């Protein structure tokens, strides 16, 4: 007879696999956009922001896979907290690129590609955080009871009022 932990192991593996596949889809989409940006000039500090966001998510991914292997819930909770940094960088980039688009309309196309790349990285962080939550479920038998703090404000940004 399977025990509860056996069923949690199967459910967790299926959910983690789905998240990893989605992360791969985001990476593929980013690759297409990078090709489109190859001829564009750097816009502000966007390259550095995306690089920093990507580094944070890469570290989160490495650590979440280590946490899964070790069944380390402390690391999983810590990864949940680190996602907030990625969200904050995404907010910064969103506001910065919106300003560049308003100042110079010829920046709209490259800025939109950069925004989509940044959003893909931000979503990769969210999926990594979801994997961390699945690790907590696997080990503890329940998802974290606290609401994960989300710092991504871009869905609510309407611009400045006149």
């Amino acid at each position: 007879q399977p025990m509860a932990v056996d069923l949690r192991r199967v459910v967790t593996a299926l959910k983690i696999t789905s998240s990893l596949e989605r992360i791969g889809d985001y990476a593929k989409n980013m690759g297409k956009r990078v090709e489109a940006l190859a001829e564009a000039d750097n816009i502000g500090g966007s390259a550095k922001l995306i690089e920093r966001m990507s580094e944070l998510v890469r570290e989160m991914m490495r650590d979440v896979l280590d946490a899964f292997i070790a069944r380390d819930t402390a690391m999983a909770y810590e990864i949940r907290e680190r996602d907030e940094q990625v969200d904050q960088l995404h907010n910064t980039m969103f506001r910065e690129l919106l300003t560049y688009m308003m100042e110079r309309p010829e920046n709209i196309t490259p800025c939109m590609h950069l925004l989509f790349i940044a959003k893909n990285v931000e979503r990769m962080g969210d999926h990594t955080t979801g994997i961390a939550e699945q690790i907590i479920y696997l080990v503890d038998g329940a998802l974290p009871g606290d609401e994960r703090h989300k710092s991504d404000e871009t869905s609510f940004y309407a611009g400045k009022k006149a």
Side-chain angles (χ1 to χ4, degrees):
Q1 290 284 2
M3 299 192 51
V5 71
D6 297 323
L7 295 174
R8 286 198 310 268
R9 192 176 299 124
V10 170
V11 169
T12 300
L14 290 171
K15 289 188 176 194
I16 289 173
T17 301
S18 177
S19 291
L20 291 173
E21 181 179 4
R22 193 68 190 122
I23 289 169
D25 292 341
Y26 288 127
K28 181 179 176 182
N29 182 274
M30 288 169 51
K32 291 177 184 177
R33 292 187 183 279
V34 167
E35 286 179 11
L37 285 169
E39 301 300 317
D41 293 331
N42 280 340
I43 298 177
S46 59
K48 292 245 185 258
L49 281 172
I50 288 176
E51 186 177 326
R52 180 66 184 135
M53 286 176 65
S54 298
E55 180 63 21
L56 287 171
V57 171
R58 187 190 67 74
E59 291 169 1
M60 289 169 62
M61 277 294 302
R62 181 197 62 222
D63 292 344
V64 83
L65 294 175
D66 289 345
F68 175 69
I69 291 166
R71 305 296 196 258
D72 185 345
T73 57
M75 177 65 80
Y77 276 106
E78 194 262 330
I79 289 164
R80 287 178 83 223
E81 297 300 317
R82 286 168 31 196
D83 186 51
E84 189 171 342
Q85 291 177 278
V86 177
D87 291 345
Q88 290 170 350
L89 288 170
H90 180 250
N91 292 336
T92 299
M93 184 153 186
F94 180 86
R95 286 189 300 275
E96 180 180 316
L97 291 176
L98 190 59
T99 300
Y100 286 119
M101 288 188 282
M102 290 187 314
E103 289 174 353
R104 299 181 61 202
E106 64 270 14
N107 285 336
I108 291 174
T109 298
C111 284
M112 289 305 300
H113 284 299
L114 289 167
L115 283 172
F116 280 116
I117 289 171
K119 187 62 177 178
N120 286 339
V121 174
E122 188 272 333
R123 290 297 297 138
M124 289 171 153
D126 290 344
H127 280 280
T128 303
T129 301
I131 293 170
E133 291 172 347
Q134 288 304 312
I135 294 165
I136 295 164
Y137 168 74
L138 173 63
V139 175
D140 294 345
L143 290 170
D146 60 325
E147 185 73 21
R148 179 168 40 118
H149 183 71
K150 289 293 297 168
S151 295
D152 181 9
E153 301 168 353
T154 59
S155 298
F156 308 105
Y157 188 76
K160 295 180 181 177
K161 296 189 178 189

